[in-house]
């Protein structure tokens, strides 16, 4: 498949890395020559420096025979015009645009993206993706990473293993014997800065970041087994009242179970806008690093503080100060991936990476057909893939123990009809099953082969 990626920033580069690693013909366009050079030097892609919305630039990028264009520049308007040019001039079949402005995303204006208006097949909103990720973190305060699969029936949970975890130093194979009815599988472990798919004889050690795929009804039980009892959130303080903070607050207000939320916003105009848009949320104007203001927000009684300003360092410092003042949990929005290693030493419980959420969302829409969902883990080191099993698949009709999965691939969940199956070596995979697989990045092409998803689906 031939793909043009417009925008060679962090999101564009990650998408180019995923697609070029799967033997797609990828062309990168950016008006910054240094970013184009970085992509062409480090990835198996071609590139051109220029404005993505210019027809002559797209022409030189091979738009006349491209299958897909992904407009992920920093400008909403450039992304929209790029898709319009791709459609009107070059008839590119599939067009994906990243849009940030709330006005462009309002439901009442959705007709704007019809093919006879502004022909965009898929609109990706980073702010919406980040807000959804934040809400998932709040729903599971013990987890540092979460994502749902199988229509919400299964969930990926990332948990840090601490000293009070009852199953530390216990081989994973024994968990099946100890908790025979538990529908959960350990699919990934991050240890010593390396992510790997664990084997049955592997153990979990203190300090590990472990990923599990779990049935939704068994999540509370799994957390208890890991020494992390579930605590419902009743009081939340949001530092940052911009688009993300406003979306989170609106969602919390709309829920049947009341969660008391307060917003701290430094910019007066943004604070006033949030106060006008919200009905039940208290909005405080001031600096989220101000100890007196945090005390006014009753931070010592907060079940969680969510720091979502547009500055990484402010988010980190606000999270640390809130935890020091008594907040039970802190979540920080982090754009710079190099800062993630500071989360644990600073005592920040969870972080949200906008780049990772946007990349996962774009991959989910790229890999349509039999692949239904994709979630990128870490810095693109692994993926969790949900797909339908075809009759022609090599895994159809075979037991899990007999399937020659690569070393870095594990089955996390299988749904047959309306029922989630318990994962055992003897479980037979059948045509029509929905399967969730954890795969290290290098093993994704082999996973696609096993699922018999031809290039036509991508």
């Amino acid at each position: 498949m031939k793909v043009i990626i417009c925008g060679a920033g962090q999101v564009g580069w990650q998408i180019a890395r995923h697609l070029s690693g799967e033997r797609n013909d990828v062309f990168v366009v950016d008006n910054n020559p240094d970013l184009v050079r970085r992509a062409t030097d480090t990835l198996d892609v071609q590139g051109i420096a220029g404005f993505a919305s210019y027809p002559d630039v797209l022409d030189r990028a091979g738009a006349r025979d491209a299958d897909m264009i992904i407009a992920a520049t920093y400008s909403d308007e450039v992304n929209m015009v790029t898709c319009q040019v791709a459609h009107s001039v070059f008839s590119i079949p599939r067009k994906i645009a990243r849009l940030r402005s709330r006005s462009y995303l309002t439901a009442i204006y959705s007709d704007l993206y019809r093919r006879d208006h502004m022909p965009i097949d898929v609109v990706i909103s980073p702010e919406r993706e980040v807000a959804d990720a934040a809400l998932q973190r709040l729903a599971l305060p013990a987890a540092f990473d979460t994502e749902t699969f199988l229509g919400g029936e299964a969930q990926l949970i990332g948990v840090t293993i601490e000293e009070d975890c009852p199953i530390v130093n216990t081989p994973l194979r024994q968990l099946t014997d100890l908790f025979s009815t538990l529908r959960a599988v350990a699919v990934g472990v991050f240890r010593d800065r390396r992510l790997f798919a664990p084997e049955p004889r592997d153990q979990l050690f203190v300090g590990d970041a472990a990923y599990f795929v779990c049935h939704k009804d068994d999540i509370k039980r799994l957390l208890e087994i890991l020494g992390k009892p579930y605590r419902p959130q009743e009081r939340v303080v949001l530092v940052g009242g911009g688009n993300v903070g406003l979306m989170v607050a609106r969602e919390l207000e709309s829920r049947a179970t009341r969660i008391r939320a307060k917003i701290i916003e430094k910019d007066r105009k943004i604070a006033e806008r949030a106060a006008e848009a919200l009905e039940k949320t208290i909005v405080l104007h001031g600096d989220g690093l101000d100890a007196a203001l945090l005390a006014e927000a009753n931070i010592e009684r907060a079940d969680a503080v969510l720091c979502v300003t547009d500055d990484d360092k402010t988010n980190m410092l606000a999270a640390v100060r809130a935890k020091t003042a008594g907040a039970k949990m802190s979540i920080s929005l982090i754009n710079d991936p190099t800062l993630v290693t500071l989360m644990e030493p600073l005592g920040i419980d969870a972080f949200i990476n906008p780049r990772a959420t946007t990349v996962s969302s774009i991959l989910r829409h790229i890999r349509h057909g039999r692949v239904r969902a994709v979630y990128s883990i870490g810095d693109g080191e692994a993926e969790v893939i949900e797909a339908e099993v075809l009759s022609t698949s090599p895994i159809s009709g075979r037991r899990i123990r007999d399937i020659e999965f690569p070393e870095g691939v594990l089955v996390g969940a299988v749904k047959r009809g309306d029922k989630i199956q318990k994962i055992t070596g003897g479980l037979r995979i059948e045509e029509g099953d929905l399967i969730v697989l954890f795969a290290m990045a290098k093993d994704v092409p082999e996973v696609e082969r096993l699922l018999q998803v031809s290039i036509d689906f991508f």
Side-chain angles (χ1 to χ4, degrees), residues 106-122:
T106 304
I108 60 174
Y109 304 132
S110 59
D111 277 356
L112 175 65
Y113 307 114
R114 282 169 34 189
R115 294 185 67 82
D116 54 344
H117 291 163
M118 184 70 69
I120 301 174
D121 300 300
V122 177

Side-chain angles (χ1 to χ4, degrees), residues 175-183 221 422:
L175 298 184
T176 302
D177 300 329
L178 292 171
F179 310 101
S180 58
T181 60
L182 181 69
R183 291 164 293 182
R221 185 181 175 205
K422 180 172 173 58

Side-chain angles (χ1 to χ4, degrees), residues 228-349:
K228 296 180 179 292
Y230 175 79
R231 297 191 305 269
Q233 307 285 53
E234 296 179 352
R235 297 179 177 87
V236 175
V237 174
L238 305 172
V239 178
N243 288 341
V244 173
L246 191 56
M247 287 182 185
V248 172
R250 278 176 167 161
E251 176 61 28
L252 294 178
E253 283 191 348
S254 68
R255 293 185 174 180
T257 304
R258 175 71 192 278
I259 296 179
R260 299 176 184 175
K262 296 178 181 178
I263 291 179
I264 299 175
E265 171 53 52
K266 190 174 184 179
D267 186 294
R268 176 174 288 278
K269 289 184 178 180
I270 296 176
E272 290 174 349
R273 186 193 71 173
E276 291 174 1
L278 299 168
E279 298 178 0
K280 306 172 185 176
T281 304
I282 297 174
V283 180
L284 303 175
H285 172 235
D287 192 341
L289 295 175
D290 186 335
L293 190 59
L294 288 173
E296 183 181 343
N298 293 324
I299 196 68
E300 75 280 356
R301 299 182 62 193
D303 295 305
V305 59
L306 177 62
C307 303
V308 289
T309 75
D310 57 3
D311 184 82
D312 286 355
K313 297 180 180 62
T314 297
N315 292 337
M316 295 169 66
L317 290 173
V320 171
R321 171 149 280 188
K323 280 291 291 287
T324 303
K328 297 181 180 64
M329 177 192 183
S330 60
I331 306 171
S332 182
L333 181 68
I334 301 295
N335 288 278
D336 183 354
T338 64
L339 296 175
V340 171
T341 56
L342 299 176
M343 297 295 100
E344 184 177 351
L346 291 174
I348 299 173
D349 299 290

